[in-house]
Amino acid sequence: MDRSIGLLACLVGILPMGSFVRTKRDTTGNLLNAEAHSAPAQRWSMQVPAEVSAAAGEAAVLPCTFTHPHRHYDGPLTAIWRAGEAYAGPQVFRCAAARGSELCQTALSLHGRFRLLGNPRRNDLSLRVERLALADDGRYFCRVEFAGDVHDRYESRHGIRLHVTAAPRIVNLSVLPGPAHAFRALCTAEGEPPPALDWSGPALGNGSAPAPGPGQGHGHQVTAELSTLAHDGRYTCTASNSLGHAEASVYLFRFHGASAAPALALPLGALGLKALLLLGVLAARAAARRRLEHPVTPDTPPRPQAQESNYENLSQMRPRDLPAAMCVP
């Protein structure tokens, strides 16, 4: 008994004045209350996927949802989408909703191809992009602004990568003059993945290796040069990737007898037949020009033909002025 009293006295001596011992039940209850009162309030955040992929010519949806620190907000708001760079990139879409309204009135839609799918009042800024082109490939950033406090706005930092795929398309086929009356050819194609280019033609072998060309857009274009068109005939540039292939041709013909036109190179694509007809017309004109430069005297004179005239002019002519025969040159 004395030992128990002494132990209790020691414990009391250790505790500071005004302290008291809590039971396990009391301590647990206070911990629960502390967690309830110190639970963090909702804060700004954006939820977007890392990448969205779609084919050129089709449509893509860029999902974006957000949270904000207000329990309920029905004031004016603005939804914005940027391209290229967060906070500073050019805007491609913007809409505004009035106080208490769920209709976000479009103020900007670049080329009319961007449309809001989500409802900003329900924390959804999802965007639809119509008629995709390779130029649309890149990063996009969603942003929401509440009227009032400068801090009541938020924008995704990393954004969404929009990956646009496309089958190859030859955008340019050029034939350029080279040294010593020779010709060279350039073929430029675009696609995603970037296409591989190959040349085929007379005595060409395995063709030429692609070489970077000037003015490449977003890295989707590739250029291949054929340094010398050595032989007459058809030269074809073929572009291919995992989604398809495309080709275009150039025909080279040399006219050695015509000093004014030592050679003729004609690019042909889908209108190959019409181009060949044009080539025939040009060849006929060159032959006619040679005949004019070197006329041939006929063995027998041409048969005289009466010149077309009217009665009034003949009546005004004197008999001595009338020619013995009038011919059409």
Side-chain angles (χ1 to χ4, degrees), residues 237-270:
C237 172
T238 302
S240 57
N241 66 9
S242 59
L243 300 178
H245 73 279
E247 66 179 31
S249 298
V250 59
Y251 288 80
L252 179 69
F253 297 97
R254 287 177 170 83
F255 299 96
H256 301 285
S259 58
L264 177 65
L266 183 64
L268 295 179

PDB file of all heavy atoms in Angstrom, residues 237-270:
ATOM      1  N   CYS A 237       9.150   8.961-108.284  1.00  0.00           N
ATOM      2  CA  CYS A 237       9.424   9.139-106.856  1.00  0.00           C
ATOM      3  C   CYS A 237       8.295   8.460-106.075  1.00  0.00           C
ATOM      4  O   CYS A 237       7.122   8.745-106.302  1.00  0.00           O
ATOM      5  CB  CYS A 237       9.499  10.622-106.505  1.00  0.00           C
ATOM      6  SG  CYS A 237       9.621  10.966-104.733  1.00  0.00           S
ATOM      7  N   THR A 238       8.667   7.568-105.152  1.00  0.00           N
ATOM      8  CA  THR A 238       7.696   6.829-104.345  1.00  0.00           C
ATOM      9  C   THR A 238       7.894   7.172-102.872  1.00  0.00           C
ATOM     10  O   THR A 238       9.014   7.115-102.367  1.00  0.00           O
ATOM     11  CB  THR A 238       7.849   5.315-104.550  1.00  0.00           C
ATOM     12  OG1 THR A 238       7.679   5.008-105.942  1.00  0.00           O
ATOM     13  CG2 THR A 238       6.805   4.545-103.751  1.00  0.00           C
ATOM     14  N   ALA A 239       6.799   7.560-102.205  1.00  0.00           N
ATOM     15  CA  ALA A 239       6.807   7.848-100.765  1.00  0.00           C
ATOM     16  C   ALA A 239       5.961   6.796-100.058  1.00  0.00           C
ATOM     17  O   ALA A 239       4.845   6.502-100.494  1.00  0.00           O
ATOM     18  CB  ALA A 239       6.247   9.241-100.496  1.00  0.00           C
ATOM     19  N   SER A 240       6.473   6.252 -98.962  1.00  0.00           N
ATOM     20  CA  SER A 240       5.738   5.188 -98.275  1.00  0.00           C
ATOM     21  C   SER A 240       5.973   5.267 -96.770  1.00  0.00           C
ATOM     22  O   SER A 240       7.055   5.640 -96.306  1.00  0.00           O
ATOM     23  CB  SER A 240       6.175   3.810 -98.796  1.00  0.00           C
ATOM     24  OG  SER A 240       7.566   3.629 -98.639  1.00  0.00           O
ATOM     25  N   ASN A 241       4.920   4.945 -96.015  1.00  0.00           N
ATOM     26  CA  ASN A 241       5.027   4.727 -94.574  1.00  0.00           C
ATOM     27  C   ASN A 241       4.055   3.617 -94.199  1.00  0.00           C
ATOM     28  O   ASN A 241       3.492   2.954 -95.073  1.00  0.00           O
ATOM     29  CB  ASN A 241       4.799   6.020 -93.774  1.00  0.00           C
ATOM     30  CG  ASN A 241       3.386   6.560 -93.900  1.00  0.00           C
ATOM     31  OD1 ASN A 241       2.490   5.906 -94.441  1.00  0.00           O
ATOM     32  ND2 ASN A 241       3.158   7.758 -93.385  1.00  0.00           N
ATOM     33  N   SER A 242       3.846   3.413 -92.905  1.00  0.00           N
ATOM     34  CA  SER A 242       3.023   2.298 -92.456  1.00  0.00           C
ATOM     35  C   SER A 242       1.552   2.455 -92.823  1.00  0.00           C
ATOM     36  O   SER A 242       0.786   1.496 -92.737  1.00  0.00           O
ATOM     37  CB  SER A 242       3.151   2.143 -90.938  1.00  0.00           C
ATOM     38  OG  SER A 242       2.753   3.333 -90.273  1.00  0.00           O
ATOM     39  N   LEU A 243       1.134   3.654 -93.254  1.00  0.00           N
ATOM     40  CA  LEU A 243      -0.275   3.899 -93.569  1.00  0.00           C
ATOM     41  C   LEU A 243      -0.573   3.879 -95.064  1.00  0.00           C
ATOM     42  O   LEU A 243      -1.734   3.962 -95.457  1.00  0.00           O
ATOM     43  CB  LEU A 243      -0.714   5.241 -92.979  1.00  0.00           C
ATOM     44  CG  LEU A 243      -0.594   5.360 -91.455  1.00  0.00           C
ATOM     45  CD1 LEU A 243      -1.003   6.755 -91.003  1.00  0.00           C
ATOM     46  CD2 LEU A 243      -1.432   4.313 -90.761  1.00  0.00           C
ATOM     47  N   GLY A 244       0.449   3.790 -95.916  1.00  0.00           N
ATOM     48  CA  GLY A 244       0.191   3.754 -97.346  1.00  0.00           C
ATOM     49  C   GLY A 244       1.380   4.247 -98.138  1.00  0.00           C
ATOM     50  O   GLY A 244       2.500   4.369 -97.623  1.00  0.00           O
ATOM     51  N   HIS A 245       1.147   4.536 -99.419  1.00  0.00           N
ATOM     52  CA  HIS A 245       2.205   5.050-100.279  1.00  0.00           C
ATOM     53  C   HIS A 245       1.607   5.951-101.351  1.00  0.00           C
ATOM     54  O   HIS A 245       0.401   5.915-101.622  1.00  0.00           O
ATOM     55  CB  HIS A 245       3.003   3.910-100.917  1.00  0.00           C
ATOM     56  CG  HIS A 245       2.263   3.193-102.006  1.00  0.00           C
ATOM     57  ND1 HIS A 245       1.322   2.218-101.751  1.00  0.00           N
ATOM     58  CD2 HIS A 245       2.304   3.341-103.361  1.00  0.00           C
ATOM     59  CE1 HIS A 245       0.820   1.772-102.896  1.00  0.00           C
ATOM     60  NE2 HIS A 245       1.384   2.438-103.884  1.00  0.00           N
ATOM     61  N   ALA A 246       2.468   6.766-101.954  1.00  0.00           N
ATOM     62  CA  ALA A 246       2.081   7.657-103.042  1.00  0.00           C
ATOM     63  C   ALA A 246       3.263   7.775-103.987  1.00  0.00           C
ATOM     64  O   ALA A 246       4.420   7.556-103.586  1.00  0.00           O
ATOM     65  CB  ALA A 246       1.679   9.033-102.506  1.00  0.00           C
ATOM     66  N   GLU A 247       2.991   8.101-105.243  1.00  0.00           N
ATOM     67  CA  GLU A 247       4.074   8.244-106.212  1.00  0.00           C
ATOM     68  C   GLU A 247       3.720   9.303-107.240  1.00  0.00           C
ATOM     69  O   GLU A 247       2.545   9.613-107.478  1.00  0.00           O
ATOM     70  CB  GLU A 247       4.392   6.922-106.896  1.00  0.00           C
ATOM     71  CG  GLU A 247       3.294   6.370-107.779  1.00  0.00           C
ATOM     72  CD  GLU A 247       3.692   5.080-108.449  1.00  0.00           C
ATOM     73  OE1 GLU A 247       4.488   4.309-107.875  1.00  0.00           O
ATOM     74  OE2 GLU A 247       3.199   4.839-109.575  1.00  0.00           O
ATOM     75  N   ALA A 248       4.763   9.867-107.835  1.00  0.00           N
ATOM     76  CA  ALA A 248       4.625  10.819-108.933  1.00  0.00           C
ATOM     77  C   ALA A 248       5.821  10.616-109.846  1.00  0.00           C
ATOM     78  O   ALA A 248       6.871  10.136-109.418  1.00  0.00           O
ATOM     79  CB  ALA A 248       4.563  12.251-108.424  1.00  0.00           C
ATOM     80  N   SER A 249       5.654  10.980-111.136  1.00  0.00           N
ATOM     81  CA  SER A 249       6.680  10.681-112.140  1.00  0.00           C
ATOM     82  C   SER A 249       7.055  11.923-112.928  1.00  0.00           C
ATOM     83  O   SER A 249       6.276  12.887-113.026  1.00  0.00           O
ATOM     84  CB  SER A 249       6.191   9.598-113.104  1.00  0.00           C
ATOM     85  OG  SER A 249       5.928   8.392-112.426  1.00  0.00           O
ATOM     86  N   VAL A 250       8.242  11.882-113.504  1.00  0.00           N
ATOM     87  CA  VAL A 250       8.697  12.900-114.430  1.00  0.00           C
ATOM     88  C   VAL A 250       9.244  12.174-115.657  1.00  0.00           C
ATOM     89  O   VAL A 250       9.931  11.158-115.542  1.00  0.00           O
ATOM     90  CB  VAL A 250       9.770  13.810-113.792  1.00  0.00           C
ATOM     91  CG1 VAL A 250      10.985  13.029-113.341  1.00  0.00           C
ATOM     92  CG2 VAL A 250      10.187  14.898-114.755  1.00  0.00           C
ATOM     93  N   TYR A 251       8.892  12.667-116.866  1.00  0.00           N
ATOM     94  CA  TYR A 251       9.371  12.094-118.119  1.00  0.00           C
ATOM     95  C   TYR A 251      10.414  13.031-118.718  1.00  0.00           C
ATOM     96  O   TYR A 251      10.192  14.248-118.799  1.00  0.00           O
ATOM     97  CB  TYR A 251       8.224  11.906-119.112  1.00  0.00           C
ATOM     98  CG  TYR A 251       7.289  10.781-118.754  1.00  0.00           C
ATOM     99  CD1 TYR A 251       6.296  10.964-117.793  1.00  0.00           C
ATOM    100  CD2 TYR A 251       7.397   9.537-119.364  1.00  0.00           C
ATOM    101  CE1 TYR A 251       5.434   9.944-117.452  1.00  0.00           C
ATOM    102  CE2 TYR A 251       6.536   8.512-119.041  1.00  0.00           C
ATOM    103  CZ  TYR A 251       5.555   8.714-118.079  1.00  0.00           C
ATOM    104  OH  TYR A 251       4.701   7.693-117.739  1.00  0.00           O
ATOM    105  N   LEU A 252      11.535  12.456-119.175  1.00  0.00           N
ATOM    106  CA  LEU A 252      12.609  13.240-119.772  1.00  0.00           C
ATOM    107  C   LEU A 252      12.803  12.787-121.217  1.00  0.00           C
ATOM    108  O   LEU A 252      13.045  11.601-121.463  1.00  0.00           O
ATOM    109  CB  LEU A 252      13.904  13.069-118.981  1.00  0.00           C
ATOM    110  CG  LEU A 252      15.104  13.831-119.541  1.00  0.00           C
ATOM    111  CD1 LEU A 252      14.891  15.337-119.358  1.00  0.00           C
ATOM    112  CD2 LEU A 252      16.398  13.402-118.880  1.00  0.00           C
ATOM    113  N   PHE A 253      12.678  13.740-122.157  1.00  0.00           N
ATOM    114  CA  PHE A 253      12.942  13.464-123.577  1.00  0.00           C
ATOM    115  C   PHE A 253      13.873  14.550-124.097  1.00  0.00           C
ATOM    116  O   PHE A 253      13.656  15.735-123.834  1.00  0.00           O
ATOM    117  CB  PHE A 253      11.648  13.440-124.398  1.00  0.00           C
ATOM    118  CG  PHE A 253      10.702  12.348-124.004  1.00  0.00           C
ATOM    119  CD1 PHE A 253       9.650  12.597-123.146  1.00  0.00           C
ATOM    120  CD2 PHE A 253      10.876  11.064-124.480  1.00  0.00           C
ATOM    121  CE1 PHE A 253       8.781  11.585-122.764  1.00  0.00           C
ATOM    122  CE2 PHE A 253      10.009  10.058-124.121  1.00  0.00           C
ATOM    123  CZ  PHE A 253       8.955  10.311-123.255  1.00  0.00           C
ATOM    124  N   ARG A 254      14.845  14.159-124.857  1.00  0.00           N
ATOM    125  CA  ARG A 254      15.795  15.105-125.435  1.00  0.00           C
ATOM    126  C   ARG A 254      15.556  15.218-126.942  1.00  0.00           C
ATOM    127  O   ARG A 254      15.443  14.213-127.633  1.00  0.00           O
ATOM    128  CB  ARG A 254      17.234  14.660-125.169  1.00  0.00           C
ATOM    129  CG  ARG A 254      17.679  14.845-123.723  1.00  0.00           C
ATOM    130  CD  ARG A 254      19.092  14.314-123.536  1.00  0.00           C
ATOM    131  NE  ARG A 254      19.640  14.675-122.240  1.00  0.00           N
ATOM    132  CZ  ARG A 254      19.406  14.017-121.112  1.00  0.00           C
ATOM    133  NH1 ARG A 254      18.614  12.961-121.145  1.00  0.00           N
ATOM    134  NH2 ARG A 254      19.934  14.398-119.978  1.00  0.00           N
ATOM    135  N   PHE A 255      15.514  16.487-127.437  1.00  0.00           N
ATOM    136  CA  PHE A 255      15.398  16.757-128.870  1.00  0.00           C
ATOM    137  C   PHE A 255      16.752  17.305-129.328  1.00  0.00           C
ATOM    138  O   PHE A 255      17.020  18.491-129.220  1.00  0.00           O
ATOM    139  CB  PHE A 255      14.281  17.768-129.141  1.00  0.00           C
ATOM    140  CG  PHE A 255      12.931  17.283-128.706  1.00  0.00           C
ATOM    141  CD1 PHE A 255      12.416  17.634-127.467  1.00  0.00           C
ATOM    142  CD2 PHE A 255      12.189  16.455-129.526  1.00  0.00           C
ATOM    143  CE1 PHE A 255      11.177  17.174-127.072  1.00  0.00           C
ATOM    144  CE2 PHE A 255      10.941  15.994-129.122  1.00  0.00           C
ATOM    145  CZ  PHE A 255      10.435  16.353-127.904  1.00  0.00           C
ATOM    146  N   HIS A 256      17.577  16.432-129.840  1.00  0.00           N
ATOM    147  CA  HIS A 256      18.946  16.831-130.173  1.00  0.00           C
ATOM    148  C   HIS A 256      18.996  17.720-131.402  1.00  0.00           C
ATOM    149  O   HIS A 256      19.938  18.485-131.571  1.00  0.00           O
ATOM    150  CB  HIS A 256      19.807  15.586-130.407  1.00  0.00           C
ATOM    151  CG  HIS A 256      19.862  14.676-129.219  1.00  0.00           C
ATOM    152  ND1 HIS A 256      20.612  14.961-128.097  1.00  0.00           N
ATOM    153  CD2 HIS A 256      19.228  13.494-128.968  1.00  0.00           C
ATOM    154  CE1 HIS A 256      20.460  13.989-127.197  1.00  0.00           C
ATOM    155  NE2 HIS A 256      19.617  13.080-127.696  1.00  0.00           N
ATOM    156  N   GLY A 257      17.980  17.654-132.279  1.00  0.00           N
ATOM    157  CA  GLY A 257      18.015  18.448-133.500  1.00  0.00           C
ATOM    158  C   GLY A 257      17.562  19.870-133.305  1.00  0.00           C
ATOM    159  O   GLY A 257      17.804  20.709-134.151  1.00  0.00           O
ATOM    160  N   ALA A 258      16.881  20.187-132.253  1.00  0.00           N
ATOM    161  CA  ALA A 258      16.360  21.539-132.028  1.00  0.00           C
ATOM    162  C   ALA A 258      17.292  22.293-131.116  1.00  0.00           C
ATOM    163  O   ALA A 258      17.440  21.965-129.945  1.00  0.00           O
ATOM    164  CB  ALA A 258      14.962  21.473-131.420  1.00  0.00           C
ATOM    165  N   SER A 259      17.952  23.330-131.689  1.00  0.00           N
ATOM    166  CA  SER A 259      18.910  24.075-130.879  1.00  0.00           C
ATOM    167  C   SER A 259      18.227  24.864-129.786  1.00  0.00           C
ATOM    168  O   SER A 259      18.797  25.115-128.731  1.00  0.00           O
ATOM    169  CB  SER A 259      19.703  25.029-131.788  1.00  0.00           C
ATOM    170  OG  SER A 259      18.810  25.913-132.453  1.00  0.00           O
ATOM    171  N   ALA A 260      16.979  25.287-130.051  1.00  0.00           N
ATOM    172  CA  ALA A 260      16.287  26.102-129.048  1.00  0.00           C
ATOM    173  C   ALA A 260      15.777  25.268-127.900  1.00  0.00           C
ATOM    174  O   ALA A 260      15.544  25.787-126.817  1.00  0.00           O
ATOM    175  CB  ALA A 260      15.125  26.841-129.702  1.00  0.00           C
ATOM    176  N   ALA A 261      15.583  23.979-128.112  1.00  0.00           N
ATOM    177  CA  ALA A 261      15.061  23.112-127.054  1.00  0.00           C
ATOM    178  C   ALA A 261      15.874  21.829-127.020  1.00  0.00           C
ATOM    179  O   ALA A 261      15.478  20.821-127.607  1.00  0.00           O
ATOM    180  CB  ALA A 261      13.598  22.798-127.297  1.00  0.00           C
ATOM    181  N   PRO A 262      17.065  21.843-126.385  1.00  0.00           N
ATOM    182  CA  PRO A 262      17.905  20.648-126.357  1.00  0.00           C
ATOM    183  C   PRO A 262      17.278  19.509-125.587  1.00  0.00           C
ATOM    184  O   PRO A 262      17.593  18.352-125.826  1.00  0.00           O
ATOM    185  CB  PRO A 262      19.181  21.143-125.681  1.00  0.00           C
ATOM    186  CG  PRO A 262      18.744  22.321-124.859  1.00  0.00           C
ATOM    187  CD  PRO A 262      17.645  22.966-125.645  1.00  0.00           C
ATOM    188  N   ALA A 263      16.401  19.777-124.621  1.00  0.00           N
ATOM    189  CA  ALA A 263      15.780  18.705-123.837  1.00  0.00           C
ATOM    190  C   ALA A 263      14.478  19.214-123.256  1.00  0.00           C
ATOM    191  O   ALA A 263      14.248  20.415-123.133  1.00  0.00           O
ATOM    192  CB  ALA A 263      16.721  18.241-122.734  1.00  0.00           C
ATOM    193  N   LEU A 264      13.618  18.287-122.914  1.00  0.00           N
ATOM    194  CA  LEU A 264      12.326  18.631-122.327  1.00  0.00           C
ATOM    195  C   LEU A 264      12.054  17.682-121.183  1.00  0.00           C
ATOM    196  O   LEU A 264      12.062  16.464-121.360  1.00  0.00           O
ATOM    197  CB  LEU A 264      11.222  18.535-123.373  1.00  0.00           C
ATOM    198  CG  LEU A 264       9.802  18.796-122.882  1.00  0.00           C
ATOM    199  CD1 LEU A 264       9.666  20.238-122.413  1.00  0.00           C
ATOM    200  CD2 LEU A 264       8.785  18.493-123.972  1.00  0.00           C
ATOM    201  N   ALA A 265      11.816  18.229-120.005  1.00  0.00           N
ATOM    202  CA  ALA A 265      11.467  17.409-118.842  1.00  0.00           C
ATOM    203  C   ALA A 265      10.081  17.811-118.396  1.00  0.00           C
ATOM    204  O   ALA A 265       9.800  18.994-118.196  1.00  0.00           O
ATOM    205  CB  ALA A 265      12.472  17.626-117.715  1.00  0.00           C
ATOM    206  N   LEU A 266       9.215  16.841-118.238  1.00  0.00           N
ATOM    207  CA  LEU A 266       7.817  17.122-117.926  1.00  0.00           C
ATOM    208  C   LEU A 266       7.377  16.323-116.722  1.00  0.00           C
ATOM    209  O   LEU A 266       7.327  15.095-116.777  1.00  0.00           O
ATOM    210  CB  LEU A 266       6.939  16.781-119.128  1.00  0.00           C
ATOM    211  CG  LEU A 266       5.457  17.086-119.009  1.00  0.00           C
ATOM    212  CD1 LEU A 266       5.247  18.583-118.868  1.00  0.00           C
ATOM    213  CD2 LEU A 266       4.714  16.549-120.214  1.00  0.00           C
ATOM    214  N   PRO A 267       7.056  16.967-115.582  1.00  0.00           N
ATOM    215  CA  PRO A 267       6.538  16.215-114.433  1.00  0.00           C
ATOM    216  C   PRO A 267       5.108  15.766-114.695  1.00  0.00           C
ATOM    217  O   PRO A 267       4.295  16.527-115.197  1.00  0.00           O
ATOM    218  CB  PRO A 267       6.594  17.237-113.282  1.00  0.00           C
ATOM    219  CG  PRO A 267       7.381  18.384-113.804  1.00  0.00           C
ATOM    220  CD  PRO A 267       7.244  18.368-115.282  1.00  0.00           C
ATOM    221  N   LEU A 268       4.828  14.538-114.332  1.00  0.00           N
ATOM    222  CA  LEU A 268       3.500  13.980-114.524  1.00  0.00           C
ATOM    223  C   LEU A 268       3.004  13.398-113.221  1.00  0.00           C
ATOM    224  O   LEU A 268       3.745  12.726-112.527  1.00  0.00           O
ATOM    225  CB  LEU A 268       3.524  12.880-115.599  1.00  0.00           C
ATOM    226  CG  LEU A 268       3.880  13.344-117.027  1.00  0.00           C
ATOM    227  CD1 LEU A 268       3.887  12.141-117.948  1.00  0.00           C
ATOM    228  CD2 LEU A 268       2.896  14.371-117.525  1.00  0.00           C
ATOM    229  N   GLY A 269       1.763  13.641-112.932  1.00  0.00           N
ATOM    230  CA  GLY A 269       1.133  13.032-111.771  1.00  0.00           C
ATOM    231  C   GLY A 269      -0.109  12.306-112.222  1.00  0.00           C
ATOM    232  O   GLY A 269      -0.062  11.402-113.050  1.00  0.00           O
ATOM    233  N   ALA A 270      -1.254  12.746-111.699  1.00  0.00           N
ATOM    234  CA  ALA A 270      -2.503  12.105-112.060  1.00  0.00           C
ATOM    235  C   ALA A 270      -2.918  12.422-113.489  1.00  0.00           C
ATOM    236  O   ALA A 270      -3.675  11.685-114.103  1.00  0.00           O
ATOM    237  CB  ALA A 270      -3.607  12.534-111.095  1.00  0.00           C
TER     238      ALA A 270
END
